Amino acid sequence: MTVFSPAGCQASTVGCRLWTEPQMPILSMNGDFVIGGIFSIHSYMTSEQNTYTTMQLRFARALEFIIHEINNSTDLLPGITLGYHIYDSCSAVPMSVKVAFQNYATDQSSNLSCREMFYMCSVITKSGYSSIVSCCFPTLSELQVSHSATCACLSDKRQFPAFYRTIPSDQHQAAALARMVKYFGWTWIGAVRSDTDYGNYGMAAFLKAAQEEGICVEYSEAYYRTQPRRKLERVANVIRRSTARVIVAFLASSDMRFLLEELARQPLPPLQWIGSEAWITHPEFLRFNMCAGAIGFGNPRSVIPGLREFLLDLSPERALKSPLLTEFWESAFSCTLKGRMGVQNCDGSEDIRTLQNPYTDTSQLRITNLVYKATYAIAHAIHAAICNNVLCDKTIKFTPWQLKRVNFTTKNGYQLTFDSNGDPVAVYELINWQFKENGALDFVPVGYYDSSKPRGQEFRMSSAISWLGGQTEVPVSVCSESCPPGTRKAVQKGRPVCCYDCVPCAEGEISNKTDSLDCLHCPPEFWPSTKQDSCLPKPVEFLSWDDTLAIILTVFSIIGVFMTICVIAVFFKHRASPIVRANNSELSFLLLFSLTLCFLCSLTFVGRPSEWSCMLRHTAFGITFVLCISCVLGKTVVVLMAFRATLPGNNVMKWFGPPQQRLSVLVFTLIQVIICVLWLKMSPPFPFKNLKLYKQKIILECDLGSSIGFWAVLGYIGFEAILCFVLAFLARKLPDNFNEAKFITFSMLIFCAVWITFIPAYVSSPGKFTVAVEIFAILASSFGLIICIFAPKCFIIVFRPEQNTKKYLMCKIPTKAL
């Protein structure tokens, strides 16, 4: 896999020649099998500028070390010598392609077997361009094993049959990044990518994964370092003006460098950077404090035994043997080994162990370890193809497909296998940029991602993260603040789904979690809380004993019972007096008893309705009132009959004596009993939760069951009351100092007036007031009866005893009208 810089790469004095000249290896050694390595040792931005990359040199020398280690092994490829040809691509795609085709053509012209040359095209700068180079020569028969080409497109074995890699595909990295962004609750992000296959394919995979995770992207910008500066400025301005506080950068390291330098020109709002593996572990960017707190997935750190000693085993004498190492030595110590004019000569006191640069720094061996695994993968594949237990036959033909069967563990403990696409298992370290005690930024592993783990367990945190500015709290990056419980999200028209308004739930609805898409209706017997975040049981309303209205009505009921008992006591004490005996004392006592029941039956309407109380209250009311009116009707008929009996030759009283009076009361009452029994048998009243009358509470009431039964009971009472009123009205002017008929007329007038007004009041009264109206009607009509019929008699008995005589009652003693 090769990486390239701008097309302006010029010829170097060491590694790069003009495009028309054959490219020579910068480091080489012959062997039975030759591994070709393409590294970006030099990077040229303009014809005047020369950038020497010490990290890339470390990768190239690591390949040297690994091949020497394999050659010295007695277990791997015994008797076989591996060689290497290492080339400098000058960070340019054309140079990398040229090297590949140049050596392929050389192999063909010299009749070398294809097995003798294997290419490990590499990108040490992790810029991502190696993906492009690998795509440039898919038809070459040479085996290609890359340690840095991450493009998911390279997994297509139809286009790239001989391609393998030791670095995971960007498909895994994109999924891991999306999972991480979701993990930290960021739903509103910006995205920047390199305008190359690496950036475009990687970002496309990330955006797809992000969409599946419910993440919205405010902007997605692309940039490549050779594009006009105005494009870079435009991308920087988009980042500055955006509302997203998290930015995912799928950029090659060289593109990232340009972007950060441009952003540093003007003040930048605090941003949480999410980096791809191409730059998140690049030490050059640690100088940008604006990236403090950056996180991203990098290849795991490792230790390669013996590598540091190999790299530091370099003296001026050994450096002079290689133009590449000579350039490195002179660049590192700012002196010359060849006596160039105007430059201080190296005096031999230079010590490479004192250098602090990427070449000598082996604390972050990430890409180097991938080079290590790639080289060993080729060696193991060759070994499996041409060697038995003790001998190797280099005449046996080796094909690239045999690399699929590789399965081994390196000396530093890493296992390597390839899947059917030539990809390894994706394992990443989560890297966080944290400040050290001296104020400098450093790479700190804080978690990992392992694609071999079950879904949901791939991503794990191992230590605390330091966010932007050294904060310990996770920064917030959302288009709209979370909608609290009690509201729902309403997407803003023309904007991503992450941009929404929080709309309160409608009446009767709730949302019990944050960011609800819809509100839920409460069950019928529940009602939302004040915040509409939970359903609470609706309060149940009925005329309870502790209700003020119920207490008042109960007091009047008890007063009525007390009055009735007092009347009974007075009547019983004076039961032999003429005024008590005047109109069938039995009916009077029975009437008083029925009035007591009427006052008491009103109490059955108070309290929580139950099945028995619902049946009792209406039937008791109907029967006691009919008994009461039947007694009054009997007394009214007695008055009419008594005056008719005074006419000569009229013996009507013998037909309506006490037995007939008792029988009439019994018959009238029995009819009501039959009506009530039929009502209770066919469709009795029952407790009913009325959910329709009020939205916020339940009215517990007695459903009539059969409205016909109820109105039949009430209608029969009304029929008797009207009949009694008519008869009493006819008898009101009969001669008598105490004509009971006129008092009965008044009592029936009150009774009828109360129950006529009761009907509309009963129908229109809501909730517990319906019951209160019914109780009021019972009490009012009962008080009307006892006051109108018995109050005058009690007054005479107690305060006018002289009028309690038979002569007075028969109008034989003149007196003033009462």
Side-chain angles (χ1 to χ4, degrees):
M1 293 160 25
T2 312
V3 128
F4 70 92
S5 295
C9 178
Q10 300 298 313
S12 167
T13 58
V14 177
C16 299
R17 295 177 178 270
L18 295 176
W19 304 121
T20 56
E21 299 180 19
Q23 188 72 9
M24 301 302 294
I26 54 175
L27 295 171
S28 65
M29 184 181 78
N30 293 326
D32 299 315
F33 293 88
V34 178
I35 297 178
I38 304 177
F39 297 89
S40 302
I41 307 298
H42 295 84
S43 177
Y44 298 93
M45 305 305 167
T46 66
S47 59
E48 293 83 14
Q49 185 178 357
N50 184 347
T51 303
Y52 183 83
T53 311
T54 54
M55 187 189 299
Q56 301 280 354
L57 176 61
R58 186 184 73 201
F59 297 155
R61 295 220 65 204
L63 178 58
E64 277 191 278
F65 165 76
I66 298 163
I67 290 179
H68 285 300
E69 184 178 78
I70 294 171
N71 288 338
N72 293 330
S73 172
T74 57
D75 300 326
L76 188 60
L77 292 174
I80 299 296
T81 301
L82 293 182
Y84 54 85
H85 287 178
I86 300 175
Y87 295 88
D88 183 3
S89 70
C90 296
S91 299
V93 172
M95 182 65 74
S96 301
V97 176
K98 172 187 174 183
V99 169
F101 278 99
Q102 168 187 302
N103 284 279
Y104 177 72
T106 302
D107 293 346
Q108 297 298 317
S109 63
S110 60
N111 295 321
L112 293 176
S113 171
C114 292
R115 62 179 173 82
E116 294 182 305
M117 188 60 129
F118 306 94
Y119 282 98
M120 187 174 62
C121 310
S122 57
V123 175
I124 306 312
T125 57
K126 293 177 66 73
S127 59
Y129 299 115
S130 55
S131 298
I132 300 177
V133 176
S134 296
C135 294
C136 289
F137 41 90
T139 58
L140 291 184
S141 59
E142 283 87 352
L143 171 65
Q144 302 172 60
V145 183
S146 174
H147 65 276
S148 57
T150 59
C151 182
C153 58
L154 296 171
S155 297
D156 187 352
K157 278 291 166 280
R158 291 175 298 179
Q159 296 187 58
F160 310 101
F163 180 80
Y164 296 84
R165 53 184 159 193
T166 55
I167 190 170
S169 164
D170 282 336
Q171 195 72 33
H172 296 289
Q173 183 178 196
L177 289 172
R179 199 78 50 82
M180 179 182 66
V181 171
K182 181 67 174 180
Y183 178 86
F184 291 116
W186 298 318
T187 57
W188 186 240
I189 64 171
V192 182
R193 67 187 186 277
S194 290
D195 196 6
T196 62
D197 282 353
Y198 169 75
N200 293 329
Y201 277 102
M203 185 57 73
F206 169 77
L207 294 179
K208 181 180 178 182
Q211 185 179 16
E212 293 173 355
E213 296 287 352
I215 300 165
C216 298
V217 180
E218 182 181 8
Y219 60 87
S220 180
E221 296 293 330
Y223 171 72
Y224 179 54
R225 57 199 173 108
T226 61
Q227 292 174 344
R229 180 172 181 79
R230 62 177 178 273
K231 175 67 178 294
L232 177 62
E233 293 174 347
R234 191 187 70 80
V235 172
N237 288 331
V238 168
I239 295 173
R240 291 190 184 98
R241 292 194 299 265
S242 72
T243 58
R245 297 277 71 86
V246 173
I247 178 170
V248 176
F250 224 105
L251 288 160
S253 58
S254 52
D255 296 335
M256 187 66 179
R257 183 186 305 111
F258 274 81
L259 180 61
L260 291 178
E261 289 173 351
E262 178 62 30
L263 290 173
R265 293 175 180 270
Q266 297 181 24
L268 185 70
L271 289 177
Q272 177 60 53
W273 290 90
I274 309 296
S276 64
E277 46 76 38
W279 67 269
I280 196 64
T281 57
H282 202 298
E284 178 187 351
F285 299 136
L286 292 177
R287 60 189 174 92
F288 292 102
N289 285 346
M290 72 175 76
C291 294
I295 56 174
F297 289 106
N299 298 289
R301 257 187 327 185
S302 63
V303 174
I304 301 178
L307 177 60
R308 177 172 175 79
E309 290 72 17
F310 177 83
L311 294 175
L312 297 180
D313 186 17
L314 188 62
S315 63
E317 293 75 19
R318 298 191 64 177
L320 278 171
K321 296 178 182 179
S322 167
L324 177 64
L325 296 179
T326 299
E327 183 181 10
F328 162 69
W329 191 275
E330 293 179 343
S331 175
F333 295 107
S334 301
C335 64
T336 177
L337 291 173
K338 296 183 178 181
R340 285 183 292 138
M341 294 295 293
V343 181
Q344 179 183 353
N345 290 325
C346 299
D347 57 9
S349 62
E350 300 82 14
D351 186 358
I352 194 172
R353 296 178 182 274
T354 63
L355 292 179
Q356 299 278 334
N357 61 28
Y359 176 82
T360 60
D361 183 10
T362 57
S363 64
Q364 298 281 338
L365 296 181
R366 302 177 187 276
I367 299 300
T368 307
N369 191 48
L370 298 179
V371 175
Y372 188 80
K373 291 195 287 186
T375 309
Y376 264 96
I378 296 173
H380 276 277
I382 298 173
H383 182 93
I386 69 173
C387 299
N388 55 27
N389 293 332
V390 293
L391 296 176
C392 298
D393 185 0
K394 55 186 175 183
T395 63
I396 297 175
K397 185 176 181 180
F398 173 79
T399 59
W401 334 122
Q402 291 172 304
L403 200 63
K404 289 183 179 180
R405 295 192 291 269
V406 165
N407 188 344
F408 66 95
T409 301
T410 62
K411 289 183 178 181
N412 57 356
Y414 288 89
Q415 185 178 9
L416 179 64
T417 58
F418 295 104
D419 61 17
S420 58
N421 296 323
D423 296 331
V425 174
V427 178
Y428 296 104
E429 258 185 0
L430 181 60
I431 307 300
N432 181 214
W433 291 17
Q434 298 185 10
F435 284 109
K436 296 187 294 185
E437 292 183 359
N438 62 3
L441 283 172
D442 194 16
F443 304 125
V444 178
V446 292
Y448 73 91
Y449 180 90
D450 188 346
S451 64
S452 64
K453 301 290 185 182
R455 181 170 178 80
Q457 301 178 20
E458 312 101 314
F459 179 53
R460 283 289 181 270
M461 298 295 299
S462 59
S463 61
I465 293 179
S466 174
W467 302 105
L468 54 93
Q471 299 177 7
T472 56
E473 295 184 1
V474 180
V476 177
S477 183
V478 293
C479 180
S480 301
E481 293 294 331
S482 293
C483 289
T487 62
R488 64 176 178 86
K489 295 198 295 187
V491 178
Q492 296 174 359
K493 188 175 181 180
R495 302 199 68 188
V497 295
C498 298
C499 301
Y500 48 80
D501 296 317
C502 296
V503 180
C505 291
E507 188 179 46
E509 296 181 343
I510 63 131
S511 63
N512 55 8
K513 59 182 182 180
T514 303
D515 289 335
S516 293
L517 296 177
D518 296 295
C519 294
L520 305 174
H521 283 280
C522 285
E525 296 187 13
F526 291 79
W527 189 254
S529 60
T530 306
K531 296 182 179 180
Q532 291 186 281
D533 57 356
S534 62
C535 288
L536 303 177
K538 290 181 180 178
V540 179
E541 184 180 272
F542 55 89
L543 193 62
S544 60
W545 290 103
D546 56 356
D547 191 286
T548 304
L549 183 59
I551 293 172
I552 294 173
L553 294 173
T554 300
V555 169
F556 277 100
S557 176
I558 294 171
I559 291 173
V561 172
F562 178 75
M563 287 176 59
T564 307
I565 292 173
C566 290
V567 173
I568 291 174
V570 171
F571 268 50
F572 183 79
K573 183 177 181 180
H574 300 88
R575 60 185 177 277
S577 63
I579 199 167
V580 175
R581 298 179 61 190
N583 194 357
N584 195 335
S585 59
E586 288 185 7
L587 287 181
S588 295
F589 281 108
L590 186 59
L591 176 58
L592 288 168
F593 172 72
S594 63
L595 282 173
T596 303
L597 294 180
C598 287
F599 283 118
L600 290 175
C601 82
S602 65
L603 299 179
T604 63
F605 288 83
V606 182
R608 189 182 186 91
S610 65
E611 186 176 350
W612 285 103
S613 67
C614 287
M615 292 189 291
L616 178 64
R617 64 173 58 171
H618 289 97
T619 54
F621 152 71
I623 293 172
T624 55
F625 258 82
V626 163
L627 177 61
C628 180
I629 301 301
S630 297
C631 292
V632 176
L633 182 61
K635 292 172 72 67
T636 305
V637 173
V638 166
V639 171
L640 284 173
M641 294 298 177
F643 281 98
R644 285 187 175 277
T646 59
L647 298 175
N650 196 332
N651 197 21
V652 70
M653 280 303 296
K654 70 177 183 178
W655 300 107
F656 200 71
Q660 288 80 11
Q661 294 171 21
R662 289 193 291 270
L663 182 62
S664 65
V665 171
L666 178 63
V667 170
F668 280 121
T669 305
L670 187 60
I671 293 173
Q672 183 73 306
V673 170
I674 293 172
I675 294 174
C676 289
V677 169
L678 291 174
W679 181 17
L680 296 179
K681 189 70 176 177
M682 297 176 65
S683 182
F686 58 89
F688 170 70
K689 294 180 178 179
N690 190 335
L691 305 174
K692 297 180 179 179
L693 188 60
Y694 295 105
K695 294 179 180 180
Q696 301 180 5
K697 58 184 177 181
I698 299 173
I699 303 300
L700 187 59
E701 58 188 12
C702 287
D703 189 278
L704 297 176
S706 172
S707 297
I708 296 176
F710 173 75
W711 291 110
V713 168
L714 205 62
Y716 184 68
I717 295 173
F719 166 74
E720 277 201 348
I722 292 173
L723 179 61
C724 185
F725 172 75
V726 171
L727 294 177
F729 183 79
L730 294 176
R732 73 188 187 285
K733 292 185 179 181
L734 293 176
D736 194 344
N737 273 347
F738 193 82
N739 185 358
E740 195 174 28
K742 61 183 176 183
F743 297 111
I744 293 175
T745 302
F746 285 124
S747 66
M748 287 299 100
L749 184 63
I750 294 172
F751 185 92
C752 292
V754 167
W755 286 100
I756 288 172
T757 55
F758 160 77
I759 294 174
Y762 179 83
V763 173
S764 61
S765 297
K768 63 182 180 181
F769 298 104
T770 303
V771 179
V773 166
E774 196 165 356
I775 295 174
F776 176 80
I778 293 172
L779 294 177
S781 55
S782 299
F783 275 112
L785 288 171
I786 194 171
I787 291 174
C788 290
I789 295 176
F790 292 102
K793 294 181 180 181
C794 290
F795 180 79
I796 291 175
I797 291 171
V798 177
F799 299 106
R800 297 284 191 270
E802 68 277 6
Q803 296 180 3
N804 189 5
T805 62
K806 187 175 181 180
K807 290 182 180 181
Y808 180 81
L809 295 177
M810 296 301 293
C811 297
K812 297 193 177 175
I813 298 176
T815 185
K816 294 181 181 179
L818 291 174

